Amino acid sequence: MEQIRVNERILLRDRMWRVKRAQNLGDDAKIIEIEALEPEEPRTLSIVTPPEEITVLPTEDLQFDLSNLGPYSPWTQDHRIIAATMIKETGLISGARFGRVNPEAYQVAPALRLLAKPYPSLLVADDVGLGKTIEAGLALLELMARGRANRILIITPPGLLLQWQEELYEKFGLDFTLIDNQAALSSVQTDLPAGVNPWDSLPRILTSIDFIKKETISARALRKRWDLIIVDEAHALAESGTPLNPYRTQRTRLGARLRASARGLLLLTATPHNGYAHSFRSLIELVEPTAASLHGTKNVIRRRVDSAMIRRMKAQIRRPLPDGREEDVFPRRQVLDIPVAADPATMELLHKVASYCSKTAMASRDEEDADLVAFAMQIIKKRALSSRLALERTIDHRLEALRKEEAREEKPAPGEIRDLQAGLPLGEAAAERTARRILRSAIPKDERRRKSETRALTAMRKMLRSLSNADPKIKALTDELERVLAADPSEKVIVFTEYLDTLQSIVNAFEPIPSLAGRFTILRGGLGRGKRKRILQEFEKPNIRVLLATDAASEGLNLQLFCRRVVHFELPWNPNRLEQ
């Protein structure tokens, strides 16, 4: 063991310390008293080495020791080899020269961070629109150029697969095999010898998180280690729930398997934090387990998080001007409310809905299904605030289950309920099905309560059908769209809604308005890649002014070249959905 001297600096547990006292215990064992060098955590420790492993750091004093010098020729030869590998002849980094992009300086930062890590793992949490796909591609090229990434797996939401495949090929010349369902897997399998696992033999694969999260698929896909796994919209891998009731979803469990099956892990998301520390911590743990602690001073926590995450906001990206000043590269976003003037009859209906939901939840508070009933009431209130049609169809589902035993359904699995509560990016069909099953299964056993609920819901439906005026929320939307489109003949608008019922109501409201009828297109979940692409191409046409889209179809829309206005028709449970 090296001789340990007083006042020497050592590295222990990934931190620097200074030796205050060292005492020999015999057989190369020592007891050492040390103090932390970081000013934010002044404390001392006494350790025994071994078993503690320490590294003596170079002295802070300037020294010149001839015994530490080596031959010059081998040193220069080694560095020429390094330069040929890392710098090449055209730039500071090697792989970027193979791309067909002109990267911004900030887009190279993730690649440089990854290259400095023996285990290339990082959470890239840059703002929406800063080009995380480009950043991932540049990092990928750099690792490939150094022979550190030969087997690569990219995982994205289903709606982004085609976009990723096209951008990787067009911008970086990288061809990825797309395996996003069982049919695609079978098709790839036919081109391989019998018994060969495509996940083991193909070097570059692109798949969806909904496909690979299945236990049977992930078991085959992750059997052989990948050099690099890239996950887009990686917030879906975080823990869900509240600090008092955290839980791991199927996607969270997938994240742990990805970490164990990869030599490098690159997570991409514009929204890494949903407001709960445990959820953010779980993302940090995937890329840097030693940094996944949010205890300590702000400086200590920031230092840990910065070692695992890189995050830049649009406001931080500025361009120098000739006169020495700086200007914003990206225009500042404006967030405006569209006021809705509800008439007295509509307000009375909403009050009745709130009263019914409150009384129903209170009546079941001591029962086994209290949480399920409470969640069912939240669904009713949320749909009531979306549109009249969404409320009416929700009431119909609940009434049918209250009146007819055969119309009742089995409770959803706990995981399905948690995914819906967490606001995870579920497909429309899955979200609608889970919500319907909650409404039709959270039925009281007591007949008197069922009759009481039936009377209240029947009265609300009768009041709802008696309203003769237009839905005030949809009227506010159409008025705003008419104003915007009249002011600028080239303006386009995207309208997002959470529910298919509300989407249908908006379509019905557009038909009698000359400036909107026939001048919109609809994008919803569950569409094939080709159909989705054709709809987006249609939106680019000058005569199409509005894109009506559901939240399930919203991820990964790159429409910023010809559209700058977005309208959110509802506020989601998790405000991060607005950003996503």
Side-chain angles (χ1 to χ4, degrees), residues 121-168:
S121 58
L122 189 65
L123 173 61
V124 178
D126 284 351
D127 203 355
V128 175
L130 291 188
K132 287 185 288 297
T133 306
I134 301 296
E135 293 175 332
L138 292 173
L140 184 54
L141 286 182
E142 292 305 318
L143 292 171
M144 290 176 64
R146 290 158 176 76
R148 298 178 65 184
N150 297 314
R151 277 178 41 81
I152 305 149
L153 176 66
I154 298 180
I155 302 170
T156 80
L160 303 186
L161 286 169
L162 195 60
Q163 176 185 315
W164 266 86
Q165 188 181 40
E166 291 176 348
E167 290 200 16
L168 287 168

Side-chain angles (χ1 to χ4, degrees), residues 27-288:
D27 295 330
D28 286 336
K30 296 179 185 294
I31 183 169
I32 305 174
E33 184 179 346
I34 56 178
E35 62 178 354
L37 291 180
E38 285 84 349
E40 61 267 18
E41 284 192 5
R43 60 190 180 97
T44 60
L45 285 179
S46 292
I47 63 167
V48 175
T49 176
E52 290 279 6
E53 295 184 1
I54 64 174
T55 302
V56 178
L57 298 175
T59 178
E60 295 173 292
D61 299 327
L62 295 176
Q63 288 185 337
F64 180 74
D65 187 352
L66 287 172
S67 64
N68 290 330
L69 297 179
Y72 178 72
S73 296
W75 182 89
T76 56
Q77 183 178 2
D78 290 344
H79 282 74
R80 285 195 187 103
I81 294 173
I82 294 172
T85 303
M86 298 185 64
I87 302 176
K88 302 295 184 183
E89 70 273 17
T90 58
L92 295 178
I93 53 178
S94 61
R97 72 189 186 98
F98 299 111
R100 300 163 186 164
V101 295
N102 292 319
E104 300 289 343
Y106 69 85
Q107 292 177 326
V108 181
L112 297 176
R113 288 279 295 274
L114 286 171
L115 292 177
K117 292 172 173 281
Y119 175 82
S121 58
L122 189 65
L123 173 61
V124 178
D126 284 351
D127 203 355
V128 175
L130 291 188
K132 287 185 288 297
T133 306
I134 301 296
E135 293 175 332
L138 292 173
L140 184 54
L141 286 182
E142 292 305 318
L143 292 171
M144 290 176 64
R146 290 158 176 76
R148 298 178 65 184
N150 297 314
R151 277 178 41 81
I152 305 149
L153 176 66
I154 298 180
I155 302 170
T156 80
L160 303 186
L161 286 169
L162 195 60
Q163 176 185 315
W164 266 86
Q165 188 181 40
E166 291 176 348
E167 290 200 16
L168 287 168
Y169 184 74
E170 293 172 0
K171 292 183 170 63
F172 302 102
L174 298 175
D175 193 9
F176 276 74
T177 302
L178 187 57
I179 303 178
D180 62 333
N181 52 42
Q182 196 63 47
L185 181 60
S186 299
S187 176
V188 171
Q189 184 76 69
T190 59
D191 297 330
L192 298 173
V196 174
N197 181 7
W199 303 98
D200 290 348
S201 59
L202 296 177
R204 295 194 290 267
I205 292 180
L206 181 61
T207 190
S208 78
I209 190 170
D210 289 345
F211 186 55
I212 199 172
K213 74 179 181 181
K214 300 173 183 177
E215 297 284 348
T216 54
I217 301 300
S218 63
R220 292 188 67 196
L222 304 178
R223 183 174 63 184
K224 183 178 178 181
R225 292 193 80 185
W226 295 88
D227 295 327
L228 180 67
I229 296 180
I230 300 175
V231 184
D232 195 13
E233 305 294 347
H235 48 267
L237 303 180
E239 286 184 1
S240 295
T242 64
L244 297 178
N245 184 31
Y247 56 85
R248 296 164 64 84
T249 66
Q250 191 176 14
R251 290 174 174 85
T252 306
R253 293 190 292 273
L254 170 65
R257 293 196 296 272
L258 295 177
R259 182 185 65 191
S261 303
R263 295 184 177 89
L265 185 62
L266 180 58
L267 304 183
L268 312 175
T269 176
T271 52
H273 207 306
N274 65 357
Y276 291 132
H278 71 90
S279 178
F280 178 62
R281 180 207 55 77
S282 68
L283 276 183
I284 296 296
E285 185 178 23
L286 290 179
V287 296
E288 191 62 67

Side-chain angles (χ1 to χ4, degrees), residues 520-547:
F520 63 91
T521 188
I522 299 172
L523 183 66
R524 50 169 294 176
L527 299 177
R529 293 190 297 271
K531 179 67 172 175
R532 178 184 173 96
K533 186 175 182 179
R534 286 193 296 273
I535 290 173
L536 296 179
Q537 289 173 344
E538 185 179 0
F539 185 44
E540 295 182 32
K541 297 177 181 177
N543 63 309
I544 300 299
R545 309 291 299 279
V546 180
L547 174 67

Side-chain angles (χ1 to χ4, degrees), residues 382-423:
K382 200 164 182 292
R383 289 178 181 256
L385 292 172
S386 178
S387 68
R388 290 176 181 174
L389 182 60
L391 174 60
E392 183 175 1
R393 291 181 177 174
T394 304
I395 289 175
D396 288 343
H397 282 304
R398 183 76 177 172
L399 271 176
E400 189 176 8
L402 285 166
R403 289 170 173 168
K404 303 175 185 178
E405 188 171 350
E406 62 271 18
R408 297 167 196 168
E409 299 189 20
E410 292 292 327
K411 301 174 188 175
E416 294 178 285
I417 298 174
R418 287 174 171 177
D419 286 356
L420 188 63
Q421 286 178 314

Side-chain angles (χ1 to χ4, degrees), residues 351-385:
H351 283 307
K352 284 187 177 296
V353 171
S355 176
Y356 156 75
C357 291
S358 178
K359 289 178 181 177
T360 303
M362 287 292 292
S364 66
R365 65 185 183 276
D366 296 326
E367 297 179 358
E368 182 182 353
D369 290 342
D371 291 341
L372 189 66
V373 174
F375 192 32
M377 296 303 106
Q378 290 179 25
I379 291 173
I380 293 174
K381 287 191 288 186
K382 200 164 182 292
R383 289 178 181 256
L385 292 172

Side-chain angles (χ1 to χ4, degrees), residues 126-129 132 157 160 232-238 268-275 279 283 333 422-426 496 532 550-558 566 568 572-580:
D126 284 351
D127 203 355
V128 175
K132 287 185 288 297
L160 303 186
D232 195 13
E233 305 294 347
H235 48 267
L237 303 180
L268 312 175
T269 176
T271 52
H273 207 306
N274 65 357
S279 178
L283 276 183
R333 179 174 60 183
L424 294 179
L426 305 175
F496 286 129
R532 178 184 173 96
T550 57
D551 286 352
S554 65
E555 288 184 316
L557 294 182
N558 283 337
V566 175
H568 295 281
W573 275 310
N574 184 347
N576 266 6
R577 289 292 295 165
L578 299 179
E579 297 294 331
Q580 293 156 10

